[in-house]
Amino acid sequence: MNWSEYEAAIRRACREIHGIPPDRTRLLLERARRLYDQELPVILDQKNLAWFLGFDISLVMCIANRPHKYYRCFRIPKRNGGFRELHEPLPTLKEMQRVILDLILARLPVDPAAKAYQPGSSVKDNANFHTRQPLLLKLDVSDFFGSLREYQVYQVFHGVGYHPQVATLLAKLTCLNGSLPQGAPTSPTLSNLIFREADQRIFHFCRQANIRYTRYADDLTFSGDFKPGLVIRRVASVIETLGLRLNPEKNRVIRRHRRQEVTGVMVNNGLRAARSRRMHLRQQLYYLSRFGLADQAAKHGTKTHLWINHLLGLAGYIRFLDPSDREAARAIAMLKTLRGST
């Protein structure tokens, strides 16, 4: 539908159905045109939002007012110890969130420095910016999702042109206990959108200082020739405006003669999988040749074809990062042959 058709339909609805006076109709049209020009859904009120989501307004309002009843909470172990608490929305709310993600949030621009949760982007793209650098600085944001608040989510929706009542309802449908829930499909993209201005400020500072900068979720990476303390102070000051803080225990300064890793990828001399991954593949292939496929699959509590696929995925990832890795290429050939014989 082109804009002329939208405008005519809105004018007709305002005049014939809702009896809205001309001055308010003009304001609605201005808001609608702003959304239309950004290729965003034209949603003018809360009932219109419920229709857009495909649910009755009473159910939408019920979920928005009692979101804690529409999540299941569970914990998963962290790689370095402890647990991470996840909140997964129940099917009805998850369906609403996926509509919001696909038809609104995915159409909004994020800063190029943000490498996570972007279509077609990977850890390889993030690491590629930091190869062969004299110094690497890695910073971590404490409680990233939990520190991004509901009012900041509201600002994302209101900032692109949605009416305050619509923006409020969208924020309530994508937040839990006043912040972004880790486990909701909308949270990753919303985090990038909230962080966009901070990304821009950090990137501007880094460009002036000839420093390379990327961010992968809550991991901020800097490389080049610079004083780490200056960067840490500047970043801490910038993210403080978002209510965020750095975790000083995870600050890492790594110089060229040490093993430099960015989101699990070695970057000292081009891109290469972390040594731990390569050693793990080598070890599993040794056990496979010595004890046999059935034994190793049973040891890991899985079926033979699933274990082969796991090792193929690992070898493929190693070669994806470094296509010249001959060991990974040999592993892929061997595993494919083994898979064909099972």
Side-chain angles (χ1 to χ4, degrees), residues 210-230:
N210 197 27
I211 302 171
R212 301 183 182 199
Y213 164 63
T214 61
R215 180 178 59 83
Y216 200 89
D218 55 355
D219 294 325
L220 287 68
T221 305
F222 305 83
S223 64
D225 188 6
F226 55 92
K227 295 180 179 179
L230 176 63

Side-chain angles (χ1 to χ4, degrees), residues 67-68 87 149-150 175-179:
H68 60 280
H87 294 86
R149 311 304 296 173
E150 187 175 309
C175 289
L176 176 65
N177 298 326
S179 63

Side-chain angles (χ1 to χ4, degrees), residues 295-312:
D295 177 88
Q296 288 303 292
K299 180 179 178 181
H300 290 88
T302 187
K303 297 181 180 179
T304 55
H305 71 281
L306 294 177
W307 184 239
I308 292 177
N309 289 342
H310 164 72
L311 295 178
L312 272 171

Side-chain angles (χ1 to χ4, degrees), residues 106-167:
R107 301 183 181 187
L108 300 178
V110 302
D111 191 81
K115 301 302 179 183
Y117 319 126
Q118 292 294 94
S121 185
S122 68
V123 293
K124 182 176 182 178
D125 299 297
N126 184 49
N128 198 42
F129 281 85
H130 305 286
T131 57
R132 301 180 176 91
Q133 295 300 303
L135 184 143
L136 189 72
L137 171 65
K138 303 198 302 186
L139 305 178
D140 179 86
V141 180
S142 295
D143 189 22
F144 185 56
F145 285 101
S147 298
L148 297 175
R149 311 304 296 173
E150 187 175 309
Y151 77 89
Q152 294 168 310
V153 176
Y154 165 86
Q155 289 172 339
V156 169
F157 292 114
H158 184 248
V160 298
Y162 286 109
H163 187 279
Q165 290 184 352
V166 175

Side-chain angles (χ1 to χ4, degrees), residues 1 19 52 56 66 109 160 225 270 307:
M1 184 182 293
F52 169 74
D56 187 81
R66 300 175 181 85
V160 298
D225 188 6
W307 184 239

Side-chain angles (χ1 to χ4, degrees), residues 123-312:
V123 293
K124 182 176 182 178
D125 299 297
N126 184 49
N128 198 42
F129 281 85
H130 305 286
T131 57
R132 301 180 176 91
Q133 295 300 303
L135 184 143
L136 189 72
L137 171 65
K138 303 198 302 186
L139 305 178
D140 179 86
V141 180
S142 295
D143 189 22
F144 185 56
F145 285 101
S147 298
L148 297 175
R149 311 304 296 173
E150 187 175 309
Y151 77 89
Q152 294 168 310
V153 176
Y154 165 86
Q155 289 172 339
V156 169
F157 292 114
H158 184 248
V160 298
Y162 286 109
H163 187 279
Q165 290 184 352
V166 175
T168 297
L169 188 51
L170 285 166
K172 288 185 176 299
L173 290 172
T174 53
C175 289
L176 176 65
N177 298 326
S179 63
L180 287 183
Q182 191 167 0
T186 44
S187 292
T189 301
L190 277 168
S191 71
N192 277 343
L193 292 167
I194 294 171
F195 211 92
R196 185 185 179 196
E197 184 178 346
D199 278 329
Q200 291 172 342
R201 291 177 61 189
I202 294 170
F203 178 79
H204 179 71
F205 162 74
C206 289
R207 184 173 59 181
Q208 290 182 323
N210 197 27
I211 302 171
R212 301 183 182 199
Y213 164 63
T214 61
R215 180 178 59 83
Y216 200 89
D218 55 355
D219 294 325
L220 287 68
T221 305
F222 305 83
S223 64
D225 188 6
F226 55 92
K227 295 180 179 179
L230 176 63
V231 175
I232 292 171
R233 289 191 295 272
R234 178 58 65 93
V235 171
S237 175
V238 170
I239 70 171
E240 186 179 0
T241 63
L242 294 177
L244 300 172
R245 61 184 181 84
L246 296 175
N247 182 353
E249 294 181 359
K250 292 188 176 182
N251 291 354
R252 296 291 183 270
V253 178
I254 312 170
R255 302 193 181 274
R256 178 176 284 163
H257 63 280
R258 302 283 298 278
R259 188 167 63 232
Q260 295 179 331
E261 287 187 18
V262 177
T263 47
V265 181
M266 292 182 63
V267 297
N268 294 72
N269 298 295
L271 299 181
R272 197 177 187 189
R275 184 173 180 271
S276 58
R277 288 180 181 266
R278 291 182 283 111
M279 290 298 294
H280 176 68
L281 176 63
R282 188 178 303 164
Q283 184 182 56
Q284 295 308 314
L285 292 177
Y286 168 76
Y287 290 149
L288 197 62
S289 64
R290 182 172 180 182
F291 301 109
L293 175 58
D295 177 88
Q296 288 303 292
K299 180 179 178 181
H300 290 88
T302 187
K303 297 181 180 179
T304 55
H305 71 281
L306 294 177
W307 184 239
I308 292 177
N309 289 342
H310 164 72
L311 295 178
L312 272 171

Side-chain angles (χ1 to χ4, degrees), residues 314-325:
L314 177 56
Y317 171 76
I318 292 171
R319 199 172 184 207
F320 165 69
L321 294 176
D322 182 8
S324 65
D325 193 308

